[in-house]
């Protein structure tokens, strides 16, 4: 399983899809620019819900999420990556 950053969570089809820049797959650059622009990233589908309600939450833009990559165009996203306590404390200190 890989991780990625959500760059767009507004799905015009209302299927809870996100565009995610997957580390190691969509992070190649030329002259400091990504080869694949954010708008050109494939849409990732949410993992099947584990509840009987079928409700899933869409991660916020900038969230780091777990992804399962079948190929360049078939990506499934899972829950948000939890930051360890030291990183959380550092972020909180810098926010003040």
């Amino acid at each position: 399983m890989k991780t990625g950053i959500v760059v767009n969570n507004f799905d015009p089809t209302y299927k809870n899809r996100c565009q995610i820049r997957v580390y190691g797959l969509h992070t190649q650059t030329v002259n400091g620019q990504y080869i694949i622009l954010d708008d050109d990233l494939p849409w990732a589908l949410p993992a099947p819900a584990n509840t009987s309600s079928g409700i899933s939450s869409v991660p916020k833009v900038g969230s780091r999420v777990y992804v399962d990559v079948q190929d360049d165009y078939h990506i499934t996203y899972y829950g948000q990556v939890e930051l360890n306590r030291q990183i959380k404390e550092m972020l909180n200190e810098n926010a003040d």
Side-chain angles (χ1 to χ4, degrees):
M1 190 162 297
K2 297 181 178 255
T3 61
I5 296 288
V6 176
V7 298
N8 180 15
N9 65 359
F10 179 73
D11 179 6
T13 65
Y14 301 102
K15 295 179 183 173
N16 294 341
R17 301 177 308 165
C18 292
Q19 287 177 296
I20 299 170
R21 186 168 298 282
V22 178
Y23 293 110
L25 182 64
H26 304 124
T27 52
Q28 297 84 8
T29 60
V30 172
N31 297 327
Q33 299 292 321
Y34 287 119
I35 293 173
I36 301 174
L37 301 176
D38 289 352
D39 291 343
D40 296 331
L41 290 170
W43 288 96
L45 292 169
N50 291 331
T51 64
S52 60
S53 67
I55 296 172
S56 63
S57 72
V58 178
K60 295 178 181 178
V61 171
S63 297
R64 187 170 179 187
V65 294
Y66 291 107
V67 295
D68 181 28
V69 179
Q70 295 171 346
D71 59 45
D72 289 352
Y73 299 99
H74 295 92
I75 300 169
T76 304
Y77 70 86
Y78 294 84
Q80 188 169 331
V81 175
E82 182 64 31
L83 297 174
N84 73 35
R85 190 186 62 185
Q86 290 176 333
I87 293 174
K88 281 184 181 178
E89 289 172 359
M90 180 182 70
L91 291 173
N92 289 335
E93 288 172 6
N94 290 334
D96 293 335

